Amino acid sequence: MAGTTIKDALLCVARVWQQRAAAGELSLETVTLYTQIAERLLRFAAAQGVTRLDDITADLAAYFIQAPGHDRHQGIVLNPAAGTRRQRRSALEALFAEARALGLTSAAPLVDLPPIPRSPRKKGTELSDADAQLLRFHSERGMPATRHAALLALLLAGLHSAEIAAATTDQLNVLDHYEAEVWTDGATRTRGRCCPLDEWSARVLWLRRAHLLRGTDDASPRRLVTAASSAYRSQASVCSGFGDIARRSGLATRERRVEPKDVTRYVARKIFSETGQLSEVARRLGLSSLDAAAALAGHRWNAGDEGGEVA
């Protein structure tokens, strides 16, 4: 289909991406991100007088990848970070690969572009009980008007970043004076489940809930951690919020990387230590694979002993 416009190609490719997301082959967050980047390419190319997919050259693609953008506070970034440039390149490669598969173009403008170098990856960390307590302490600054304590409480309950981004006030449940839990519908790769809350997590989440619902007659649920509009932005907001906590606590430094998954690993190790059951780790974290549960818990095991899938 020579002469296909970028807009028509994007519509066709976006439908395929959505079908793949529905089949579990792509995450919804990835589809949202790639579609947003492709829409920016559409506007960028139009500003250069280019409307056909076949007319996107290697030079134009390189200019787009390196173009100034905005940070999460809508400030202008003249020199986008390497991670941002890799996201743009990945989205464009996916767009052209899918368009070629659909017969919309034979162009491959990124094939000869040099790779975007990565900075040396900072060493990860294995959180201790003392580290977790330090995170709790520093997350409470400004509570409950700030979201940080609620974010950390949901992480410590076993929710993942996409699940935290979607968590609302009506998903909290007090069982009795001593027990509370939070429900999550799950995400692309995790199952819906109830996760118990410890005393600290229950306290900060109920304070956050009361703050969000105070002074309103509207009974509709409020999101606990982020008000970002898209799934991708919501998940990114969760990660940036955790980054704030990690830096305030002094755990994240120039030499040491701390990310939400480190808390998930900490929770997995705690559950496995308390129960001795990888199946319980998988259940609490919404995982369908015991291999994934073992990896998070830092446990080497023989898959033949328990099987690789959770019923």
Side-chain angles (χ1 to χ4, degrees), residues 11-151:
L11 290 172
C12 293
V13 169
R15 280 196 293 270
V16 174
W17 285 343
Q18 289 164 0
Q19 291 167 0
R20 291 193 174 182
E25 298 173 9
L26 283 175
S27 72
L28 288 172
E29 292 78 16
T30 298
V31 171
T32 299
L33 175 63
Y34 281 8
T35 302
Q36 288 174 343
I37 291 174
E39 288 171 345
R40 292 179 196 135
L41 171 68
L42 173 64
R43 296 191 294 271
F44 182 87
Q48 316 302 316
V50 175
T51 59
R52 295 193 318 143
L53 197 63
D54 286 346
D55 292 337
I56 295 180
T57 63
D59 285 342
L60 190 146
Y63 293 150
F64 172 75
I65 290 169
Q66 298 166 13
H70 295 87
D71 60 20
R72 61 190 178 95
H73 302 295
Q74 295 305 304
I76 295 177
V77 178
L78 294 177
N79 298 302
T84 299
R85 288 184 280 125
R86 277 192 292 272
Q87 285 181 343
R88 292 174 180 174
R89 177 171 179 151
S90 178
L92 263 61
E93 287 175 336
L95 172 67
F96 274 93
E98 203 66 66
R100 288 194 299 273
L102 293 171
L104 303 178
T105 185
S106 59
L110 293 94
V111 68
D112 291 324
L113 293 184
I116 300 170
R118 290 181 178 271
S119 300
R121 191 167 178 82
K122 293 180 182 178
K123 184 180 179 181
T125 187
E126 183 171 298
L127 297 177
S128 65
D129 289 340
D131 292 332
Q133 189 58 33
L134 199 59
L135 289 170
R136 289 187 185 97
F137 176 80
H138 286 278
S139 73
E140 291 190 19
R141 185 186 304 177
M143 186 185 73
T146 57
R147 63 184 178 147
H148 295 95
L151 189 162

Side-chain angles (χ1 to χ4, degrees), residues 157-296:
L159 273 68
H160 304 270
S161 56
E163 296 169 338
I164 293 171
T168 60
T169 51
D170 64 341
Q171 291 175 275
L172 300 176
N173 182 33
V174 174
L175 304 177
D176 58 37
H177 184 68
Y178 300 101
E179 287 188 80
E181 62 185 13
V182 59
W183 168 262
T184 174
D185 292 322
T188 304
R189 295 181 178 87
T190 55
R191 297 173 170 178
R193 64 204 179 279
C194 277
C195 299
L197 299 170
D198 61 25
E199 183 179 353
W200 179 84
S201 297
R203 176 175 63 85
V204 299
L205 283 168
W206 278 99
L207 285 172
R208 177 67 172 166
R209 179 183 183 277
H211 170 76
L212 292 171
L213 298 179
R214 184 180 298 123
T216 177
D217 296 328
D218 184 0
S220 60
R222 302 287 198 276
R223 284 204 281 176
L224 287 163
V225 169
T226 177
S229 56
S230 70
Y232 172 74
R233 288 184 180 276
S234 295
Q235 193 169 356
S237 176
V238 169
C239 293
S240 67
F242 178 77
D244 292 339
I245 304 170
R247 285 188 292 274
R248 287 177 185 175
S249 68
L251 295 177
T253 66
R254 290 182 180 274
E255 293 75 32
R256 189 188 196 195
R257 172 177 53 86
V258 183
E259 57 189 10
K261 201 162 189 176
D262 291 316
V263 178
T264 304
R265 294 187 183 101
Y266 167 79
V267 173
R269 292 194 303 272
K270 292 277 285 185
I271 296 170
F272 187 64
S273 175
E274 292 168 1
T275 68
Q277 299 292 323
L278 286 175
S279 57
E280 183 62 15
V281 176
R283 187 190 69 80
R284 283 274 302 274
L285 298 180
L287 306 173
S288 60
S289 165
L290 293 180
D291 289 326
L296 286 174

